[in-house]
Amino acid sequence: MGTQTEATPLLEDGVLEDENSGLYTGDGSVDIKGNPVLKSETGNWRACPFILGNECCERLAYYGIATNLVTYLTTKLHEGNVSAARNVTTWAGTCYLTPLIGAVLADAYWGRYWTIATFSTIYFIGMCTLTLSASVPAFKPPECMDSVCPAATPAQYVILFLGLYLIALGTGGIKPCVSSFGADQFDDTDPKERVKKGSFFNWFYFSINIGALISSSLIVWIQENAGWGLGFGIPALFMGIAIASFFFGTPLYRFQKPGGSPLTRMCQVLVAAFHKWNLSVPEDSTLLYETPDKSSAIEGSRKLLHTDELRCLDKAAVVSDAELKTGDYSNTLRLCLGSQIQKVIHFFLNYVLRQTDALTKLL
């Protein structure tokens, strides 16, 4: 790593030949206790049903609330259409912003498993609170008498919105982590498992759509015909099932250790790229600064395939003439690893842009 000629390529083909035939995974994954995991006993499709079940039930719970929430506020809380729409839009927007919190906590401190577990519990508490607000007479205003519709009291609003925003916080810890945690169950250094990962995402989005379909049809019908307490209680029950399913699969999971704050790495890359804005990015990505090791320098992580997205950030991994002359590559605000840049791009594209795009469509 002392000179540019010693820099090794990013993991272009994603294959570590000398580890593929081993008994253990080659991507650095561990079990719940931090020990290396056996390929034959963990991960792969044996672990995915619990993760897919968690996502399906969580989406059923979310859409079971979001699809018909305006109707609930206008018919049961006696709000006007404008006020109800504003409250729902604010709540939905919060649901799209909180994943930034969950993403940072998962990547920097807790890991994906404990982030999902913690925020799923918060989500379930919010669902139970919302169900109580729709079921207990003291927690909701009386029914309309002729044309007189009593407004909800401040205390009733507090209970309702406490439940809703606990749900918003809960979904923020689940949404950015579940798909990535599912991907962690497949070893990128094994060509066979890497192919299976693509199928996992197909089933993942299928699970989302199944949950949304059930909510927008059956759950909505129950809410309007059998009562809102039952209509919110059923999604709460499914959320409880989702948590139980997720914990049940713990012995089968593969875990990636948290690798530090992605925001810190992002700032380092942005500053380094700014310092080298006048340098050209080589067409050959193997010329970018990188560690000679096959594993990533970021703890608990693995090297990602080089992408042509946001190539301007690759300037941060270009070794300048001054650095080449002095042999000093220690200033992380001047020179970053190519694998670090790919992690930043992955974080930006998957967490920031996705949530911003969803929020833009919502508004």
Side-chain angles (χ1 to χ4, degrees), residues 29 44 63 79 85 101 107-108 111 140 164 212 220 228 232 249 258 261 268 272 274 297 310-311 316 343 360:
S29 55
N44 219 312
Y63 287 111
E79 287 191 354
I101 300 174
D107 285 348
K140 56 184 179 179
L164 286 176
V220 168
W228 289 92
F232 288 148
S261 174
Q268 290 173 342
F274 176 76
L310 300 175
R311 287 203 68 204
K343 278 291 182 181
T360 302

Side-chain angles (χ1 to χ4, degrees), residues 82-101:
V82 174
S83 177
R86 181 176 63 249
N87 285 330
V88 172
T89 301
T90 302
W91 173 75
T94 304
C95 291
Y96 283 112
L97 290 176
T98 52
L100 295 175
I101 300 174

Side-chain angles (χ1 to χ4, degrees), residues 19 22 41 44 52 104 133 141 158 162 164 176 191 194 216 244 275 286 308 329 338 340 343 349-350 352:
E19 295 181 357
E41 297 180 2
N44 219 312
L52 295 174
V104 172
S133 72
V158 167
L162 176 63
L164 286 176
R194 195 167 64 248
S216 59
H275 280 304
T286 63
D308 289 332
Y329 307 98
Q340 177 181 346
K343 278 291 182 181
L349 294 178
N350 284 276
V352 179

Side-chain angles (χ1 to χ4, degrees), residues 235-258:
L237 175 62
F238 272 94
M239 193 60 215
I241 295 173
I243 296 173
S245 169
F246 182 75
F247 281 118
F248 190 76
T250 298
L252 301 176
Y253 296 147
R254 297 174 183 174
F255 303 83
Q256 292 290 335
K257 297 177 181 178

Side-chain angles (χ1 to χ4, degrees), residues 125-347:
I125 294 173
M127 290 293 305
C128 292
T129 303
L130 182 64
T131 302
L132 288 175
S133 72
S135 304
V136 180
F139 293 165
K140 56 184 179 179
E143 296 290 336
C144 294
M145 297 293 293
D146 296 327
S147 60
V148 179
C149 296
T153 65
Q156 291 168 342
Y157 270 117
V158 167
I159 296 173
L160 171 67
F161 286 110
L162 176 63
L164 286 176
Y165 281 92
L166 283 175
I167 293 169
L169 180 61
T171 195
I174 299 172
K175 185 179 291 187
C177 297
V178 175
S179 60
S180 298
F181 188 62
D184 288 343
Q185 308 311 309
F186 299 92
D187 186 357
D188 269 345
T189 67
D190 186 326
K192 294 181 179 179
E193 289 197 17
R194 195 167 64 248
V195 171
K196 294 178 182 178
K197 183 187 291 188
S199 297
F200 165 78
F201 286 108
N202 292 335
W203 284 103
F204 179 79
Y205 286 106
F206 178 76
S207 300
I208 292 175
N209 291 326
I210 287 295
L213 176 64
I214 295 174
S215 292
S216 59
S217 55
L218 179 61
I219 299 301
V220 168
W221 184 89
I222 292 174
Q223 290 170 349
E224 296 184 349
N225 293 275
W228 289 92
L230 183 61
F232 288 148
I234 292 176
L237 175 62
F238 272 94
M239 193 60 215
I241 295 173
I243 296 173
S245 169
F246 182 75
F247 281 118
F248 190 76
T250 298
L252 301 176
Y253 296 147
R254 297 174 183 174
F255 303 83
Q256 292 290 335
K257 297 177 181 178
S261 174
L263 296 181
T264 300
R265 296 196 295 268
M266 182 181 294
C267 290
Q268 290 173 342
V269 169
L270 292 176
V271 172
F274 176 76
H275 280 304
K276 298 182 176 179
W277 66 272
N278 58 334
L279 298 183
S280 300
V281 177
E283 292 296 327
D284 186 358
S285 63
T286 63
L287 298 177
L288 297 175
Y289 183 66
E290 187 54 83
T291 60
D293 300 325
K294 294 175 179 178
S295 59
S296 174
I298 302 172
E299 182 182 357
S301 183
R302 57 184 182 271
K303 291 181 180 178
L304 300 177
L305 296 172
H306 183 269
T307 176
D308 289 332
E309 299 284 349
L310 300 175
R311 287 203 68 204
C312 59
L313 296 181
D314 283 343
K315 292 178 182 290
V318 176
V319 180
S320 66
D321 292 337
E323 290 164 337
L324 194 59
K325 183 177 180 179
T326 61
D328 182 9
Y329 307 98
S330 60
N331 191 343
T332 57
L333 294 178
R334 294 280 185 172
L335 182 65
C336 297
L337 297 170
S339 54
Q340 177 181 346
I341 295 172
Q342 296 310 307
K343 278 291 182 181
V344 168
I345 293 174
H346 178 268
F347 173 82

Side-chain angles (χ1 to χ4, degrees), residues 59-75:
R59 289 291 86 186
L60 186 150
Y62 175 80
Y63 287 111
I65 299 166
T67 303
N68 219 19
L69 187 56
V70 171
T71 302
Y72 177 73
L73 293 179
T74 55
T75 59

